[in-house]
Amino acid sequence: MHTNSIIELNNTAYQKNLSFLRNTFGKKVEISCVVKGNAYGHGVTAMVSMAYHNGITHFSVFDVEEAKVVKAKLEDKATIMVMGLVQDEDMEWVINNNVEFFVFDKGRLTKAAKTAKKLRKKAIIHLEVETGMNRTGFEKNELNTVIGFLKKEKEHVFLKGLCTHYAGAESIANYYRVDKQIKRFEDIYQYLCENELKPEIKHSACSAASIMFPQTRMDMVRIGIIQYGLWPSPEVFVYYLSTKKNKTDPLQRVITWKSKVMSIKKVKIGEFIGYGTSFLAERNMTVATIPIGYSHGYSRSLSNQGRVLINGHRCIVVGSVNMNMMTVDVTHLESVKKDNEVVLIGSQNDISISVASFSDYSNQLNYELLTRISKTIPRKTIE
Ligand SMILES: *Cc1c(COP(=O)(O)O)cnc(C)c1O
């Protein structure tokens, strides 16, 4: 494991976010903690144990590899739901371990039934239906076949949930499309019930939908970005504020990413810094080298733009972000020494570098920046 930097998860911030979510949704709505993409870069293992200790017992992942990481940490203490890929060769493991999974095509449905029969164990499925996202989900004209199949195979396949996913609930521009999806989803649910195939629960909301469209909360919400203390988009934040008298942000960033100054050097006026000629010193400068680069997930697009905190001051990246290193301008700091703390995301004294600020510099989404942070960086939970 490399030691160039460390990621800390703040348990107090996480508790704040969870209590905001619980107060907003009420007791009847279960929160499924979405930990795909290495828990949005936070680290699956550290994240699920923190969530579990705060009362979360439902986790959503993208694929079986991630499901196995959650299982290794929490064993049978939590429900695991795979929203995306289950390879044929993993179906036995999934069913044997009571891992729940989305089913969105006939191939997977028959594979689930066949494997369950062989193992003499029920497959626990969430039927994903197409409502307008056009990614995965059964089409309307397939429903009768699916209903027939599920009734015939009810000894082997348990219809735990009915679900769908919205095509961009974080943006008002998609309001009409999402609204149509909600109606279609309700119609499909009714249709199943009329055909005596009532799923135990129905769920559809991601973070943005859960705030912008309260009717999408249903029995369970699949919450990713918000629990990590970040808004899905500025629009969702503005919308939330517009509905409240008290205009304060209820969310707190859970992640902090820190490193240390590796070395310091003086650069004379007129010299270029780093590869090529992208940065020209227009005065005598002092620069600090940080052992973080794009191989750790610090995007090269932050060259000459990114900011870090050292000794309580903002310092700008000068020159290009390299594979394992970058240089920052520390000319304005009184004294900088090797091993001084460097904050890439987080706070020092009263100032902070937010995750959102990255997108201002580099057009990266919150989501993208976080999931790119290297898995090999150690994760630690703090109070
Ligand atoms: C990623 C994902 C979510 C969670 O999305 P957030 O915007 O992070 O809350 C919910 N449902 C599905 C199907 C997803 O893929």
Side-chain angles (χ1 to χ4, degrees), residues 268-338:
K268 285 231 162 64
I269 183 169
E271 294 281 322
F272 291 109
I273 297 178
Y275 288 120
T277 54
S278 79
F279 190 90
L280 173 71
E282 291 179 351
R283 57 197 166 119
N284 289 329
M285 291 176 70
T286 312
V287 296
T289 311
I290 320 296
I292 292 294
Y294 55 80
S295 72
H296 309 110
Y298 199 91
S299 173
R300 210 170 156 273
S301 61
L302 293 162
S303 299
N304 288 313
Q305 306 209 48
R307 275 123 174 108
V308 303
L309 303 177
I310 302 175
N311 296 353
H313 293 274
R314 280 194 189 83
C315 305
I316 191 163
V317 173
V318 290
S320 52
V321 173
N322 302 164
M323 188 186 288
N324 301 293
M325 279 188 268
M326 60 188 185
T327 39
V328 301
D329 181 7
V330 293
T331 314
H332 57 303
L333 303 197
E334 299 249 306
S335 67
V336 190
K337 294 193 196 67
K338 180 174 177 295

Side-chain angles (χ1 to χ4, degrees), residues 325-381:
M325 279 188 268
M326 60 188 185
T327 39
V328 301
D329 181 7
V330 293
T331 314
H332 57 303
L333 303 197
E334 299 249 306
S335 67
V336 190
K337 294 193 196 67
K338 180 174 177 295
D339 289 337
N340 278 168
E341 180 188 85
V342 179
V343 171
L344 303 149
I345 299 173
S347 313
Q348 225 178 31
N349 300 345
D350 292 338
I351 51 172
S352 62
I353 304 274
S354 68
V355 176
S357 69
F358 283 85
S359 49
D360 299 339
Y361 306 137
S362 69
N363 267 326
Q364 285 189 89
L365 289 179
N366 282 349
Y367 296 82
E368 186 182 348
L369 169 95
L370 288 171
T371 51
R372 280 182 175 208
I373 299 174
S374 171
K375 276 188 184 171
T376 60
I377 299 170
R379 267 77 174 169
K380 189 174 103 186
T381 305

Side-chain angles (χ1 to χ4, degrees), residues 71-82:
K71 195 78 182 177
K73 184 70 198 173
L74 296 180
E75 296 164 349
D76 295 329
K77 293 182 286 195
T79 304
I80 303 169
M81 183 172 79
V82 179

Side-chain angles (χ1 to χ4, degrees), residues 29-200:
V29 180
E30 175 155 37
I31 296 177
S32 179
C33 165
V34 179
V35 292
K36 67 188 179 192
N38 198 27
Y40 294 48
H42 292 62
V44 177
T45 307
M47 191 65 203
V48 297
S49 60
M50 186 167 81
Y52 179 75
H53 284 112
N54 287 299
I56 296 285
T57 55
H58 199 290
F59 294 90
S60 294
V61 297
F62 173 72
D63 62 15
V64 175
E65 188 201 334
E66 293 172 339
K68 286 182 174 171
V69 181
V70 180
K71 195 78 182 177
K73 184 70 198 173
L74 296 180
E75 296 164 349
D76 295 329
K77 293 182 286 195
T79 304
I80 303 169
M81 183 172 79
V82 179
M83 303 185 294
L85 183 67
V86 179
Q87 306 271 28
D88 281 354
E89 57 267 33
D90 291 324
M91 192 57 90
E92 286 201 8
W93 182 86
V94 165
I95 294 175
N96 264 329
N97 285 279
N98 301 312
V99 168
E100 306 182 2
F101 54 103
F102 282 23
V103 170
F104 40 72
D105 61 31
K106 279 185 203 135
R108 181 172 300 180
L109 188 57
T110 46
K111 177 75 190 170
K114 213 167 131 190
T115 311
K117 228 175 269 180
K118 181 177 150 205
L119 298 174
R120 296 170 193 279
K121 213 164 175 256
K122 272 191 187 178
I124 310 167
I125 69 157
H126 294 254
L127 198 65
E128 188 187 8
V129 290
E130 182 55 67
T131 55
M133 169 98 172
N134 291 312
R135 190 172 66 178
T136 47
F138 282 105
E139 298 290 336
K140 213 169 176 188
N141 62 15
E142 295 174 298
L143 281 183
N144 285 335
T145 321
V146 172
I147 291 170
F149 186 90
L150 284 174
K151 283 184 168 170
K152 183 162 72 73
E153 300 288 342
K154 68 170 186 287
E155 299 300 314
H156 309 293
V157 183
F158 173 54
L159 181 58
K160 176 75 188 275
L162 180 73
C163 58
T164 196
H165 188 54
Y166 299 112
E170 70 285 347
S171 172
I172 299 283
N174 303 322
Y175 181 89
Y176 180 67
R177 186 171 170 199
V178 171
D179 194 51
K180 237 164 66 181
Q181 285 189 270
I182 298 171
K183 294 198 178 89
R184 282 197 193 129
F185 188 58
E186 280 301 335
D187 286 348
I188 295 169
Y189 177 73
Q190 289 308 329
Y191 188 73
L192 289 188
C193 293
E194 281 158 22
N195 283 275
E196 279 125 34
L197 191 74
K198 189 173 157 40
E200 194 172 285

